[in-house]
Amino acid sequence: MPVLVITEVAYLLGTRLGAQAEVRFLGDLASGALTPLEVEPADWLRIAELVAQYADLPLGTVDASVVATAERLEIATIATFDRRHFGVVRPRHASAFDLLP
């Protein structure tokens, strides 16, 4: 998971599911069950391209960082509740993302 996603996930868990869900998420980060990935220099250019390309959604920096990281690592499966955005985006390395759940 790109490090840019952590704040958004923590906020959504805390506001929608409560503090305990947020605490479990933070525990998963601390235990290594989830691995935050830094945004690499080339990712920033790709993020900018994606934000511009999908400005009508709007895609946004955090979601674009997920796409850029998935492209760099050649990952085609993404866990997200945001099917609206990720269902539209076409990654460079696959015809579409497989979305979970």
Side-chain angles (χ1 to χ4, degrees):
M1 130 184 11
V3 71
L4 297 180
V5 173
I6 293 170
T7 303
E8 186 171 286
V9 170
Y11 171 78
L12 290 172
L13 288 171
T15 58
R16 295 185 182 181
L17 299 177
Q20 289 304 316
E22 184 176 356
V23 168
R24 283 192 303 274
F25 172 67
L26 296 170
D28 286 343
L29 288 167
S31 72
L34 297 172
T35 304
L37 301 170
E38 293 298 324
V39 177
E40 295 191 359
D43 293 341
W44 291 112
L45 290 174
R46 181 62 177 145
I47 290 167
E49 289 173 2
L50 289 161
V51 168
Q53 180 179 353
Y54 294 99
D56 291 343
L57 286 179
L59 186 62
T61 298
V62 173
D63 289 349
S65 76
V66 172
V67 175
T69 301
E71 288 176 343
R72 176 169 40 90
L73 299 175
E74 296 186 357
I75 295 170
T77 302
I78 294 177
T80 183
F81 292 115
D82 188 355
R83 292 182 172 272
R84 179 176 159 251
H85 289 159
F86 290 104
V88 171
V89 173
R90 295 295 170 245
R92 290 180 172 169
H93 67 296
S95 60
F97 284 116
D98 295 319
L99 303 178
L100 300 177

